[in-house]
């Protein structure tokens, strides 16, 4: 019987397969060999900060992201610990900076941290501003995710004297002595800059404590993106005495020891005048901040100058466009310049509405005609804020929902560009009691109870579009609030927008001085938000819905005693439409 033998063709194919396999293995080996050998010095291991924290201890130095100036790799976690002489502080600046950009810097980012916590988190393609630390140590972290890479960064540091901080960074530094002053750059003649970071260390003599008194305070209230943090000391574990924002003058703050630290951070949007403050040792008499009531800005008529009499045809400028318009009392009306005729182009108008102490401000729109798409307002826009957050930015032709502030002051600003205009807006405002919230908005509540339930309007049925609800919960000063969600179904983010269109947002407030301690949210989608444990004794919660998709909403409960079980309620009555038989009619 003849044996099966391989043909010449079969032998050739086998040989070709073996050769191709060997070639592939060889190419893979060459690739990894060249990758390891061709990487720049300092690209691997401890030298790069990616194999473990790299210690940098000279008077100056330079460090870069992995493989810089080539693209860094995905999935990297690198860190550098910079330490200089004990009597010096650290100046840090970036020569090159190009990281994957993302909202809130959640993809690839650089984080700077000192003993007080995170100093900054950076991503994108804008170089962070030069900063100076308060101490002689600084940690730098670089993290990349698994999606996209870029060139990375090149950074330099240098040991500098603490007294040179103000000259290098523009403000901040170490202040010593019985008393002194601190203020934002250019105050009060110039607004502070966007994207700024300044910090001060205050020291008084041994045995004394620091008292800090703000004499002027004017920060852009846009979501508290610009704020001051005050710490009880400057070392690790120092308690935060407050996070201050908005335009309300804070009460004086005191440290428990001889040092205090301040940080002032601004975002990339609006700016304002800034602040001035005086510090003293506590054995000195307290500084008395200004208590005079601001006078309304003079009424200036179009085509005139201050001190002249307007012509008989000049309309009164009651629009806030001749300077900040200050409104006090129980009710009033504000509207765009020339309303109901079209407003002019290139306007910047501002109003401050202040209700009597203990009241809130209600804003009810009676007319709205501002060119633009609701929710996007890139050119002409009306922005409304209270002391803690922006309540909304509006344009278009749909009346916004009724708004209620969380405090006694509201800021309103209106801008127009040089293009299309329309008749503008008209808003009625009045001072209301917190107990009026449910009647005004048809939802929400103001409660002094230590436990309770919060539900979206029409729960568990779908909530209504274009709605606004406000809940405020205040408990005794020595107690804290825990809020937990049991159900959550709110319109999720769309593929076209990274922002929540319908959302829940909360502010953690200390009632004694009205200081905003923290923000939570915005939350949307169907995932239960995490429980909130306040640091203060007042929680403000808002729910906002747009004109389009709705969900079944949410249910939450609060309590001052976390050990108590979640409250229960009887099930909602059945919907009579659910059992309605649907027949099919044939013809």
């Amino acid at each position: 019987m003849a044996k099966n033998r391989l043909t010449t063709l079969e032998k050739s194919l086998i040989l070709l397969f073996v050769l191709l396999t060997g070639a592939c293995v060889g190419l893979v080996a060459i690739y990894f060999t060249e990758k390891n050998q061709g990487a720049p010095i300092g690209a691997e291991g401890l030298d790069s900060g990616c194999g473990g924290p790299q210690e940098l201890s000279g008077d100056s130095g330079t460090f870069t992201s992995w493989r810089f100036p080539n693209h860094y790799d995905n999935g990297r976690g690198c860190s550098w610990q910079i330490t200089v002489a004990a009597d010096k502080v650290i100046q840090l600046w970036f020569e090159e900076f190009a990281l994957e950009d993302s909202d809130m810097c959640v993809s690839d980012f650089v984080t700077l941290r000192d003993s007080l916590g995170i100093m900054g988190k950076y991503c994108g393609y804008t170089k962070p501003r030069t900063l100076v630390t308060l101490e002689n140590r600084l940690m730098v972290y670089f993290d990349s995710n698994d999606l996209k890479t870029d060139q990375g960064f090149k950074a330099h540091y240098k040991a500098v004297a603490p007294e040179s901080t103000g000259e290098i960074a523009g403000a901040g530094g170490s202040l010593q002595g019985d008393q002194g002053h601190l203020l934002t750059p250019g105050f009060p003649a110039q607004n502070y800059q966007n994207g700024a970071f300044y910090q001060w260390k205050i020291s008084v003599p041994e045995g004394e404590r620091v008292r800090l008194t703000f004499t002027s305070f004017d920060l852009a209230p846009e979501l508290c993106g610009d704020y001051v943090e005050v710490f009880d000391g400057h070392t690790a574990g120092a308690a935060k005495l407050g996070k201050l924002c908005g335009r309300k003058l804070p009460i004086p703050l005191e440290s428990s020891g001889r040092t205090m630290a301040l940080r002032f951070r601004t975002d990339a949007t609006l700016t304002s005048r800034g602040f001035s403050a005086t510090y003293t040792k506590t054995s000195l008499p307290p500084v008395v901040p200004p208590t005079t009531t601001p006078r309304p800005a003079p009424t200036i008529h179009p085509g005139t100058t201050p001190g002249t009499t307007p012509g008989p045809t000049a309309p009164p400028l009651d629009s806030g466009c001749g300077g900040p318009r200050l409104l006090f009392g129980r009710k009033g009306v504000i509207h765009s310049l020339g309303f109901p005729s079209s407003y002019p182009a290139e306007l910047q108008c501002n109003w401050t509405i202040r209700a009597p102490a203990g009241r809130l401000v209600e804003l009810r729109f009676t007319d709205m005609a501002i060119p633009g798409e609701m929710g996007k307002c890139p050119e002409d826009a009306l922005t409304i804020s209270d002391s803690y957050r922006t309540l909304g930015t509006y344009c278009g032709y749909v009346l916004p929902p009724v708004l209620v502030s969380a405090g006694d002051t509201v800021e309103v600003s209106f801008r127009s560009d040089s293009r299309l205009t329309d008749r503008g807006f008209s808003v009625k405002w009045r001072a209301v009691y917190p107990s009026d919230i449910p009647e005004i908005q048809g939802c929400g509540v103001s409660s002094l109870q230590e436990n309770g339930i919060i539900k979206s309007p029409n729960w568990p049925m779908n909530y209504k579009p274009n709605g606004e609800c406000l809940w405020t919960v205040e408990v005794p000063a020595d107690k804290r609030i825990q809020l937990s969600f049991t159900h959550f179904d709110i319109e999720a983010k769309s593929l076209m927008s990274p922002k929540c269109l319908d959302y829940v947002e909360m502010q953690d407030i200390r009632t004694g001085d009205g200081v905003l301690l923290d923000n939570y949210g915005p939350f949307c989608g169907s995932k239960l938000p995490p429980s909130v444990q306040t640091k203060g004794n007042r929680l403000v919660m808002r729910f906002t819905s747009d004109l389009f998709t709705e969900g079944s909403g949410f249910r939450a409960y609060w309590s001052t005693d976390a050990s108590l079980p979640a409250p229960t309620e009887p099930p909602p009555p059945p919907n009579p439409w659910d059992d309605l038989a649907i027949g099919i009619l044939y013809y």
Side-chain angles (χ1 to χ4, degrees), residues 358 360 386 388 404-407 433-438 441 443-454 469-475 481 483 505-507 509 511 537-543 558:
L360 309 178
D386 65 9
Y388 305 108
V404 179
S405 66
Y433 289 100
S435 57
D436 295 333
I437 293 174
Q441 295 187 318
C443 55
V445 75
S446 177
S447 176
L448 300 177
Q449 301 298 317
E450 294 189 17
N451 53 73
I453 296 174
I454 293 174
C469 298
L470 170 68
W471 294 266
T472 69
V473 177
E474 184 178 334
V475 298
I481 303 166
L483 184 136
E505 198 167 49
M506 290 167 278
Q507 285 78 46
I509 300 169
T511 59
N537 63 313
R538 185 183 183 210
L539 184 67
V540 173
M541 178 172 171
R542 290 186 184 272
F543 172 52
W558 82 86

Side-chain angles (χ1 to χ4, degrees), residues 252-374:
L253 300 172
E254 292 188 6
S255 65
S256 61
R258 62 180 294 263
T259 64
M260 178 185 284
L262 275 80
R263 283 182 169 167
F264 176 49
R265 189 189 311 277
T266 71
D267 62 13
T269 55
L270 304 175
T271 71
S272 198
R273 287 197 314 150
F275 66 85
S276 63
T278 298
Y279 78 87
T280 64
K281 60 182 183 181
T282 51
S283 60
L284 290 177
V287 174
V288 180
T291 56
T292 56
T293 301
R295 295 180 180 179
T299 298
I300 305 175
H301 299 272
T304 69
T305 57
T308 65
T309 303
T313 59
L317 183 57
D318 59 355
S319 62
C321 304
R325 183 76 172 171
L326 304 175
L327 305 172
F328 303 90
R330 300 184 182 277
K331 62 181 179 178
V333 177
I334 58 175
H335 52 69
S336 50
L337 180 59
F339 179 88
S341 299
S342 295
Y343 54 83
E346 297 183 343
L347 287 177
Q348 181 62 56
C349 314
N350 298 277
W351 300 260
T352 297
I353 303 172
R354 189 165 298 148
R359 303 282 188 92
L360 309 178
V361 180
E362 172 198 320
L363 296 170
R364 189 178 295 270
F365 290 79
T366 56
D367 207 331
M368 184 74 176
I370 300 174
E373 182 181 351
M374 183 177 179

Side-chain angles (χ1 to χ4, degrees), residues 26 55 63 68 130 201-202 222 236-237 283 301 305 339-340 342 422 454 462 487 498 510 520 578:
E55 301 283 345
F63 57 99
F68 181 89
T130 297
K201 173 187 172 183
I202 302 171
E222 179 85 5
S283 60
H301 299 272
T305 57
F339 179 88
S342 295
D422 211 316
I454 293 174
N462 283 10
H487 299 79
R510 187 170 57 211
Y520 308 97
D578 290 343

Side-chain angles (χ1 to χ4, degrees), residues 159-223:
V160 297
E163 54 267 23
S164 65
T165 298
E167 180 181 351
I168 295 170
S174 295
L175 306 176
Q176 302 181 36
D178 293 347
Q179 59 184 353
H181 305 280
L182 57 156
L183 46 79
T184 50
F187 181 89
Q190 297 178 352
N191 283 13
Y192 54 79
Q193 294 182 330
N194 283 324
F197 178 79
Y198 310 118
Q199 50 184 358
W200 293 262
K201 173 187 172 183
I202 302 171
S203 302
V204 294
E206 289 286 352
E208 295 280 357
R209 294 178 290 118
V210 182
R211 179 190 296 119
L212 181 72
T213 305
F214 287 91
T215 53
S216 184
F217 199 83
D218 182 14
L219 306 187
E222 179 85 5
L223 292 175

Side-chain angles (χ1 to χ4, degrees), residues 50 91 245 285 364 373 382 555:
C50 299
Q91 174 188 354
C245 62
R364 189 178 295 270
E373 182 181 351
L382 178 69
R555 178 184 181 274

Side-chain angles (χ1 to χ4, degrees), residues 52-121:
Q54 181 185 1
E55 301 283 345
L56 303 175
S57 56
D59 288 340
S60 62
T62 299
F63 57 99
T64 69
S65 53
W66 193 80
R67 295 179 61 83
F68 181 89
N70 299 319
H71 282 211
Y72 53 83
D73 277 356
N74 282 322
R76 283 281 169 181
C78 314
S79 58
W80 298 262
Q81 181 171 300
I82 305 172
T83 307
V84 298
D87 61 340
K88 302 288 185 180
V89 293
I90 300 167
Q91 174 188 354
L92 180 77
W93 70 99
F94 290 86
E95 179 181 339
E96 301 288 345
F97 197 86
L99 306 183
E100 178 187 359
D101 200 3
S102 60
D103 287 340
M104 308 299 291
C105 289
V106 296
S107 298
D108 300 348
F109 52 89
V110 169
T111 306
L112 307 180
R113 177 184 288 272
D114 67 0
S115 59
L116 289 177
I118 293 178
M119 300 172 63
K121 188 176 180 181

